[in-house]
Amino acid sequence: MGGASSRNQKDQPSRSTYFNQEELKKLKSSYDEGGLEMTVPLIQEKLKDLDNIELNIAVTGKSGAGKSSFINTMRGLQNNDEGAAKTGTTETTMEPAPYPHPNLPKVCFWDLPGMGTSNFPANEYLKKMNLKQYDFFIIISACRFTENDVKLTKGIKRLGKNFYFVRSKIDIDLNSVRKEGKKLNKEEEMEKIRNYCVSNLEKAGISSPNVFLVSNFDINEFDFQKLNKTLAGNLSDIKKQAFMLSLPNTTLEIIEKKRAVLKKQVWMLATLSGFVGAVPVPGLSFACDTGILIPAIIGFRQYLGLDDASLQRLANMAGKPVEDLKAVVKTPLVGEIDKTFVIKMFLGGTFIAISAVEIGLDFIPVVGSIFGGASSFGMTYKLLNDVLNDLTENAQSVVKTAFETEIVCTKTSDH
């Protein structure tokens, strides 16, 4: 990790695009063959793919293990929030229940019934649950992983799907040690619990299992962030981006990773603006810019958790009044975003002096160098970058206020 100024220029393109190397080659050959007219449809298709990407995450385990609370936490919700998964100590899930993310409805967590109950005996479970439809599985236990968990894991493995073991309610275990009057070494106790889980799974035939210890009520403690990094690291690029954007804003690192994801959209949106800007039809360039910029700004704002609903959810999670979080948001970008607002941004001195700013067009894949800094491309590129940076800084202020952290976080790549 490092600041933007320390990045090696030669690896900038790979961090500026959702396209893999094969797709970049196709992009370049299309441009060489037919210019922007053949290139822009490929960019439009990729942007459409980003909007339509589906991610289905299955969460399963024994009743009472904390599946529903885990799903709510991953979606940035408290158990009593509107739209939260139903929780309880008895079996509340009688069939796979979908819980879409509040801001990214195509990122969906599925609460699966526990395996091995009277309603779902182990020998019928794999057939009834249609496991092929899920991208990966999270298997949750509140004490130890059972024979049914192992059977389920082997069935998932045969499908070629990834699975992850989560030992929940770790906070309760540690509190029990404290109540017994024993001197608590948190790291040692966690390692003991982890080794116990791993040993049982290995004895049951699961080789080298990773076990994550979490509390559903403290997402910034224990292994929750480690789990999120592992989940993201094992997804394909495009699904990884969707997963990262779905995470609740609980750390500065998450916000920086979201900035890195959204930064990749900027040059594609600017290219579309530049392409229309090159067409000599009076008024068409600016009309296109507003059509691109308005939804982009609103989307960036929501992904970075600065819309009213996201701020309220974060306030609930942090146990803080939402007014405290809103008080540190110092940007007009949280107000109404319409054509008038965008025009004012274009006319503002910060955004109009594009030609005097080093935008770094040479590092934008394939098409960057064909536009001048004062073109529609350059203006859109610079404006969206400024918008993204402004929103990121405000999102960081919100997280610092919500969780009372002053951790300095440098910019990160999406890797």
Side-chain angles (χ1 to χ4, degrees):
M1 294 188 296
S5 60
S6 65
R7 291 177 182 174
N8 191 322
Q9 290 183 353
K10 69 181 180 180
D11 66 2
Q12 183 73 15
S14 66
R15 297 184 181 185
S16 300
T17 175
Y18 285 103
F19 295 87
N20 58 38
Q21 289 303 311
E22 190 66 31
E23 290 170 330
L24 280 175
K25 288 179 182 177
K26 182 178 179 182
L27 206 63
K28 187 176 187 309
S29 64
S30 296
Y31 178 72
D32 291 341
E33 182 181 341
L36 281 176
E37 289 193 15
M38 287 189 63
T39 306
V40 165
L42 299 178
I43 296 173
Q44 289 173 319
E45 183 179 353
K46 177 61 71 171
L47 286 168
K48 184 178 179 181
D49 288 344
L50 293 171
D51 288 337
N52 294 325
I53 189 66
E54 291 186 5
L55 182 61
N56 291 294
I57 302 166
V59 181
T60 186
K62 189 177 179 181
S63 299
K67 293 180 297 171
S68 298
S69 292
F70 177 85
I71 288 172
N72 292 335
T73 300
M74 292 293 287
R75 297 161 66 226
L77 297 175
Q78 299 294 287
N79 288 341
N80 58 351
D81 285 347
E82 182 179 355
K86 184 179 179 182
T87 60
T89 55
T90 59
E91 187 175 353
T92 58
T93 306
M94 303 306 293
E95 60 182 29
Y99 291 97
H101 187 276
N103 288 348
L104 290 88
K106 295 192 177 181
V107 175
C108 188
F109 291 83
W110 291 79
D111 189 354
L112 270 56
M115 181 177 177
T117 66
S118 58
N119 290 313
F120 299 96
N123 60 345
E124 298 177 13
Y125 189 88
L126 297 179
K127 295 178 182 178
K128 287 185 176 181
M129 290 300 108
N130 188 22
L131 302 184
K132 291 182 180 180
Q133 67 180 307
Y134 306 110
D135 290 283
F136 61 84
F137 295 77
I138 296 172
I139 303 167
I140 296 184
S141 173
C143 49
R144 67 180 185 86
F145 294 96
T146 66
E147 180 182 351
N148 286 327
D149 294 326
V150 173
K151 287 180 181 178
L152 175 59
T153 301
K154 290 179 177 178
I156 295 169
K157 194 171 183 180
R158 285 194 296 270
L159 294 173
K161 303 280 187 174
N162 286 334
F163 52 89
Y164 307 89
F165 295 102
V166 169
R167 169 64 159 77
S168 65
K169 304 184 181 181
I170 190 67
D171 53 326
I172 296 176
D173 292 291
L174 297 182
N175 284 334
S176 295
V177 174
R178 291 189 185 97
K179 288 179 180 179
E180 291 174 2
K182 298 178 182 178
K183 184 178 180 180
L184 175 66
N185 183 312
K186 188 173 81 171
E187 286 71 25
E188 285 184 4
E189 194 65 28
M190 287 178 62
E191 194 62 21
K192 187 189 302 182
I193 295 170
R194 194 192 319 276
N195 289 338
Y196 173 74
C197 293
V198 168
S199 175
N200 281 331
L201 288 167
E202 287 180 334
K203 287 177 182 177
I206 305 299
S207 60
S208 304
N210 282 326
V211 177
F212 301 89
L213 311 182
V214 308
S215 163
N216 290 330
F217 302 102
D218 199 337
I219 198 170
N220 286 340
E221 284 289 328
F222 313 115
D223 289 343
F224 231 123
Q225 298 307 321
K226 180 181 175 184
L227 172 64
N228 285 336
K229 289 179 183 179
T230 303
L231 298 178
N234 290 334
L235 288 169
S236 63
D237 284 346
I238 194 167
K239 292 199 174 190
K240 176 180 178 179
Q241 317 303 338
F243 179 75
M244 289 305 307
L245 292 176
S246 76
L247 293 177
N249 284 358
T250 57
T251 69
L252 300 180
E253 184 179 6
I254 287 174
I255 293 172
E256 284 295 345
K257 287 184 178 294
K258 288 186 177 184
R259 188 214 301 249
V261 169
L262 296 172
K263 174 86 170 179
K264 296 176 179 182
Q265 292 188 24
V266 169
W267 76 266
M268 292 192 284
L269 294 168
T271 300
L272 299 184
S273 175
F275 176 60
V276 175
V279 178
V281 178
L284 181 57
S285 173
F286 195 77
C288 178
D289 285 337
T290 58
I292 289 172
L293 287 165
I294 292 172
I297 294 169
I298 293 172
F300 287 4
R301 181 175 68 188
Q302 191 174 54
Y303 291 138
L304 288 165
L306 293 173
D307 59 290
D308 286 345
S310 296
L311 288 169
Q312 184 63 65
R313 289 193 297 270
L314 188 64
N316 294 345
M317 177 176 282
K320 297 284 180 69
V322 71
E323 290 76 16
D324 289 1
L325 305 191
K326 290 184 175 181
V328 300
V329 178
K330 309 294 184 183
T331 174
L333 294 167
V334 294
E336 184 178 0
I337 307 297
D338 55 16
K339 185 173 180 179
T340 301
F341 182 87
V342 172
I343 291 172
K344 287 181 180 178
M345 286 202 303
F346 267 115
L347 296 177
T350 302
F351 298 105
I352 202 67
I354 308 287
S355 59
V357 178
E358 176 55 50
I359 300 178
L361 298 181
D362 290 342
F363 302 134
I364 299 169
V366 184
V367 296
S369 60
I370 67 174
F371 296 112
S375 68
S376 180
F377 171 93
M379 294 180 74
T380 302
Y381 183 82
K382 174 63 168 59
L383 187 143
L384 284 180
N385 268 303
D386 286 353
V387 163
L388 182 55
N389 290 335
D390 187 13
L391 290 173
T392 299
E393 290 170 7
N394 279 272
Q396 290 170 335
S397 296
V398 168
V399 168
K400 289 178 181 179
T401 301
F403 298 101
E404 298 180 355
T405 177
E406 289 298 330
I407 299 171
V408 177
C409 182
T410 57
K411 291 182 182 180
T412 61
S413 74
D414 60 310
H415 298 294

